Amino acid sequence: MKEIVAVDIGGTHARFAIAQIVDGRVVELGEATTLKSSDHASLALAWEAFGRSLGRELPRHAGIAVACPIQGEILKLTNNPWIIQPAQLSARLNIDDFVLVNDFGAVAHAVAQVDESHLQHLCGPKRPLPKEGAISIIGPGTGLGAACLLKRDDHYFVMETEGGHIDYAPLDELEDKILHALRRRFRRVSAERIVSGPGLTNLYEIIAELQGLPFTLHDNRTLWTMALEGHDTMAAAALERFCLSLGAIAGDLALAHGAHSVVIAGGLGLRLANRLGKSGFAERFVAKGRFETIMSDMPVKIITHPQPGLFGAAAAYASQYRN
């Protein structure tokens, strides 16, 4: 058994935990410690703060998930003051080895290794994820993350993608108007402009404008609370359109990946776990013309693990450094 540090670095917070791995798999993930990135000038200082909070020397191995593409000599995160230089991590963190993975790549690793109890059924056939073939993973949060998990011969492979940045495709007259309105705001309208935390605000404002109704500008957190509680008619309409679009985009990615199943992830995916099944998500997911029969035979799950990023970061390390 090997002990490692699992790290999940987002735009606002960095999460740390100690994980135990055996034979390429995570067998235990300790309690998570969440630090505000702006309170620490660098990853190294946050790492040291985590060590002090535990009152012990940290393991010399790490799986690190980062909310940006893992490319180049310098990694720059959105809404995060840290600069990460992969070549210097071993010296800065005093570790022997590490694995760096994109945040949604980490979620794909988590999907590959979590217990079935952490995969809540959403729609389609009520059966486990397939042991062979591709699984599409999509998750709305601050942005729209996407990855593809390929299982083959008792092994799995993770393909990190930027699938959330595909073009937004309207499917009815209202969405035609929404796209037209968004084109006045953005040079290019990607799926992420609709299906993400800020996407709900875009929908709320544009639907109000199209209806010719007055609306109040809310911060994104307040608007999501209003939408989920259902007390505000306009916010509720925006959320229903959000769920429809998520279903359509998830289906598109499944077709593009040649997937046999889909997993919904992301912070908002988890918040919507009990809402998506009552929305038009499933109908839009299946509505792919000549491929409706294939789509209707595809299980769709929601990952409900409380720390999929941390678990996935540890799983990414475990899959590379099998002990």
Side-chain angles (χ1 to χ4, degrees):
M1 183 178 292
K2 180 186 285 187
E3 193 176 60
I4 72 169
V5 180
V7 188
D8 180 19
I9 306 170
T12 305
H13 297 99
R15 296 174 174 85
F16 297 81
I18 302 297
Q20 308 283 345
I21 63 172
V22 175
D23 296 332
R25 301 191 71 85
V26 180
V27 295
E28 184 177 346
L29 181 70
E31 184 177 352
T33 295
T34 301
L35 302 177
K36 195 172 182 179
S37 302
S38 58
D39 290 341
H40 305 274
S42 68
L43 169 57
L45 289 171
W47 177 281
E48 291 174 359
F50 172 58
R52 287 194 300 272
S53 72
L54 294 184
R56 52 162 289 188
E57 186 175 338
L58 293 179
R60 296 183 62 89
H61 317 279
I64 304 172
V66 185
C68 68
I70 309 298
Q71 297 176 353
E73 298 179 357
I74 298 177
L75 307 183
K76 296 182 179 180
L77 290 82
T78 305
N79 300 321
N80 188 314
W82 298 350
I83 299 290
I84 297 176
Q85 296 174 274
Q88 297 184 16
L89 276 180
S90 292
R92 294 282 174 83
L93 303 182
N94 193 30
I95 54 179
D96 296 327
D97 51 47
F98 64 91
V99 167
L100 268 177
V101 64
N102 167 266
D103 60 337
F104 232 77
V107 174
H109 279 279
V111 169
Q113 294 203 20
V114 295
D115 185 80
E116 186 72 22
S117 63
H118 290 299
L119 294 168
Q120 176 180 317
H121 180 74
L122 175 56
C123 61
K126 204 166 188 178
R127 60 175 184 251
L129 295 179
K131 294 183 178 180
E132 293 281 328
I135 300 169
S136 291
I137 300 158
I138 179 170
T142 303
L144 181 61
C148 183
L149 171 66
L150 177 62
K151 293 183 174 182
R152 181 166 293 162
D153 299 329
D154 293 325
H155 292 82
Y156 74 85
F157 309 88
V158 169
M159 288 159 280
E160 301 172 3
T161 81
E162 293 298 333
H165 294 281
I166 60 175
D167 290 321
Y168 170 63
L171 294 175
D172 58 28
E173 290 186 7
L174 175 58
E175 291 179 358
D176 287 337
K177 294 176 182 178
I178 290 171
L179 176 59
H180 182 73
L182 284 172
R183 281 181 177 151
R184 295 197 298 267
R185 301 186 180 192
F186 307 108
R187 185 173 63 87
R188 174 177 176 268
V189 182
S190 67
E192 188 176 77
R193 299 297 190 185
I194 298 291
V195 182
S196 66
L200 186 71
T201 298
N202 290 334
L203 287 169
Y204 176 79
E205 295 174 0
I206 290 170
I207 289 174
E209 290 172 2
L210 292 174
Q211 296 290 316
L213 298 172
F215 64 92
T216 302
L217 292 174
H218 300 283
D219 65 85
N220 200 242
R221 183 183 295 274
T222 300
L223 181 61
W224 270 97
T225 299
M226 291 166 52
L228 289 167
E229 290 178 349
H231 300 315
D232 183 282
T233 305
M234 198 70 66
L239 182 59
E240 176 58 27
R241 189 57 52 171
F242 179 102
C243 295
L244 289 169
S245 296
L246 176 57
I249 294 163
D252 286 346
L253 286 176
L255 286 175
H257 292 159
H260 297 165
S261 60
V262 171
V263 175
I264 303 298
L268 293 176
L270 186 57
R271 290 188 72 183
L272 291 169
N274 297 319
R275 178 62 64 93
L276 287 176
K278 303 172 186 175
S279 72
F281 174 96
E283 287 76 9
R284 277 288 187 90
F285 179 81
V286 170
K288 301 300 176 187
R290 290 168 290 173
F291 291 89
E292 285 191 4
T293 300
I294 291 175
M295 301 304 293
S296 63
D297 193 45
M298 200 176 293
V300 181
K301 312 282 186 181
I302 297 178
I303 184 168
T304 59
H305 191 283
Q307 295 290 346
L310 280 175
F311 190 99
Y317 179 94
S319 68
Q320 183 164 323
Y321 292 96
R322 292 175 177 269
N323 54 340

